[in-house]
Amino acid sequence: MQLDMSSPTTTERVFNFSAGPAVLPEMVLEQIRDELLCLPGVGSSVMEISHRSQAFVEILDDARRRIIDLHQIPDDHEVLFVQGGATLQNTMIPANLLVDQNQTADCIITGTWGKKNSQDIQYYGSLNIAWDGAETNYTQVPTNSELNLTEGAAYCHYTSNETIHGVQFPEPPEVGEAPLVVDQSSDFLSEPLDIKRFGMIYACAQKNCGIAGVTTLIIRRELLERAGDRLPRYLDYAQHVKGASMLNTPPTFAIYVTGLVCNWIQNTVGGLEEMHRLNQEKANLLYNLIDNSGGFFLGHAQPSSRSLMNVVFRLESQELDSKFVTEAAALGMTGLKGHRSVGGIRASIYNAMPLSGVQALHDFMRDFAQRNG
Ligand SMILES: Cc1ncc(COP(=O)(O)O)c(C=O)c1O
């Protein structure tokens, strides 16, 4: 599609319910705008300076420290910024954590992203699917007693929030001794977490923590030694630690934005507990309306597995779904069409979606149900 830059386009910001890349805090966008031509004290934009310059090294370190502070990350974990999206982690995790082909990785599959993560394990060792919710098209997370875990597994992977199905673990699963590895791409920094419980956490930035291009890893230091010297440098976590997240030119602008978003969570929102409270308040508004709609809105996830980030539901027919999306867009609420594998509607209400946006969607839903019920 060719964009005709000469024709007028909308200049009003909409409420953007896109699943990702997603809405950013307006304050962060304003700061980016203000600093775009000239980063204070630097005289250039962040996009124009060397990644080895003191100014950028400080920006990277500031972003890293903010993540450490927000999550009170203990000393035995490293925080890294890497490229390749969350998708490259589907390869890097088994490459680094499976010592040889005789080892097994356990995977708990609660949606599309967990399934994708399990697909590269075969190149490095054995895969055990500890649980898979495919039969019901991923409407819930398992209980601990339903998990079919491997004795001595090299690690156990799960996806804390399945972005497409709107299914989220209310608590991390109990998996015994195996290091717990979690894809937090769509709920990173949305609530406090006890980092000690995790071998590794990873999250691409473009949903809750910035823009596309950077992926944050939090990894327990002892796991860095597993790969030894059998991996190509760029796939080896230990090399990324040695290179201080700069084995090659890092995505400087994306790291800068991550730092600004963390600053916003710390100093405007007031930390992760308050972030979580706000996220619960927003999600409850929509789920209560769904539950009280007399079946007009049908939620995808079971109530106990509902996501605070992606609210997935459908109406009685595809025609009504389309009408809903079209009318919402005309009122300035965009990105609501569900993923093709689930259909219906998906309202992504990440950290940066303001309560006023969710309230506007809630009011529209109530009105739409009255007119079409
Ligand atoms: C939970 C989850 N994992 C992984 C990914 C893939 O991320 P990326 O496109 O950065 O590789 C996504 C992206 O939508 C996601 O939501």
Side-chain angles (χ1 to χ4, degrees), residues 43-117:
S44 294
S45 90
V46 68
M47 294 176 285
E48 302 166 297
I49 57 173
S50 165
H51 58 295
R52 306 274 174 211
S53 64
Q54 195 193 336
F56 183 73
V57 170
E58 279 172 16
I59 287 171
L60 187 146
D61 203 46
D62 177 74
R64 200 176 62 83
R65 278 180 193 289
R66 287 185 189 282
I67 292 169
I68 292 172
D69 288 350
L70 276 165
H71 264 320
Q72 294 163 26
I73 296 177
D75 278 353
D76 59 355
H77 282 66
E78 293 280 353
V79 176
L80 283 178
F81 297 118
V82 299
Q83 301 179 68
T87 299
L88 183 60
Q89 295 313 306
N90 297 345
T91 305
M92 284 181 87
I93 293 164
N96 280 267
L97 302 190
L98 288 167
V99 172
D100 59 43
Q101 285 283 348
N102 298 320
Q103 286 201 310
T104 299
D106 282 347
C107 285
I108 303 169
I109 301 181
T110 52
T112 304
W113 297 108
K115 172 104 190 140
K116 281 192 199 235
N117 175 272

Side-chain angles (χ1 to χ4, degrees), residues 84-87 113 159 161 163 183 185-186 204 206-207:
T87 299
W113 297 108
T159 308
N161 183 65
T163 322
D183 176 356
S185 291
S186 50
C204 58
Q206 65 269 20
K207 294 155 201 299

Side-chain angles (χ1 to χ4, degrees), residues 213-256:
V214 65
T215 298
T216 304
L217 312 185
I218 303 172
I219 180 162
R220 200 188 296 148
R221 209 167 284 129
E222 68 182 24
L223 295 177
L224 298 170
E225 286 155 26
R226 281 209 190 163
D229 57 5
R230 68 195 154 77
L231 288 182
R233 258 168 67 77
Y234 205 76
L235 288 184
D236 185 343
Y237 290 137
Q239 294 292 338
H240 285 270
V241 170
K242 257 190 219 157
S245 297
M246 291 205 209
L247 268 191
N248 67 326
T249 313
T252 50
F253 191 72
I255 291 170
Y256 157 77

Side-chain angles (χ1 to χ4, degrees), residues 50 76 120-121 139 156 191:
S50 165
D76 59 355
D120 278 3
I121 288 170
T139 54
C156 180
E191 61 181 344

Side-chain angles (χ1 to χ4, degrees), residues 164-195:
I164 291 174
H165 299 87
V167 165
Q168 187 176 29
F169 279 79
E171 291 292 330
E174 300 279 354
V175 301
E177 293 298 301
L180 193 53
V181 176
V182 60
D183 176 356
Q184 273 220 319
S185 291
S186 50
D187 59 356
F188 190 49
L189 301 181
S190 67
E191 61 181 344
L193 267 191
D194 180 6
I195 303 294

